[in-house]
Amino acid sequence: MRVPVSLLKSFVDISTSPQALADLMNGRIAEVEHVVRFPSRSALSDVCVAEASRRLDGNDDWELWLFNVGERQASIVVGKQYNVQAGVHYAAICQGGKTPNGTLVEARQVGGFESAGMLVSESMLGIGEEAASPLMFAPDIDASIHPYDLLELDDAILEFDLEPNRPDLFSLLGMARDLSAIFGEDLRMP
């Protein structure tokens, strides 16, 4: 079971680090297999929110789209299979930026069009397993907020190996109940 520390904190006041919390829970509640941390803000510094403005051109496999990125615009080539739609916000890295693994994004020819950036997936950002499509944001987001903050990536995830003899731990509330007892803090019900 995967448990975001931020959600546990919404049930119980916890003032310890994610690793210290994992160590405590490992000894007193259930085995913590991993503490999952997302890439740092600096690793994702060149990732931006890009709003698809309009389709400029295309062929059988590729489409050239104009994206609004902050106060500027960028022409980015995307695969037709991704079904990019005008008005939708995507995660992107523009020309001159770097991917989280340090690869420089340069303008290049893709499918016969000049692309000045790229849309990126969860997998490319190191924040999830989805690699088959670009990361989309909810329609009502504030595009001026950095994707790191929009996605609340300053959180840690505790991954538990739960035993069948503790069915009370198969929910966030069950985990929070035990933490409430350990820390002597009140449990806030959802």
Side-chain angles (χ1 to χ4, degrees), residues 142-190:
D142 180 350
S144 67
I145 297 175
H146 193 275
Y148 186 88
D149 298 320
L150 286 172
L151 297 170
E152 299 177 358
L153 296 178
D154 59 344
D155 202 359
I157 309 291
L158 304 180
E159 196 169 302
F160 291 91
D161 179 20
L162 297 177
E163 298 295 327
N165 66 328
R166 289 293 310 267
D168 58 312
L169 297 179
F170 283 68
S171 71
L172 286 172
L173 184 58
M175 293 278 182
R177 224 180 247 126
D178 273 21
L179 285 176
S180 171
I182 289 170
F183 285 107
E185 296 287 341
D186 291 334
L187 178 67
R188 290 184 295 275
M189 297 301 284

Side-chain angles (χ1 to χ4, degrees), residues 43-56:
L44 300 177
S45 64
D46 291 331
V47 179
C48 59
V49 176
E51 179 185 7
S53 176
R54 62 188 165 95
R55 182 180 178 272
L56 300 173

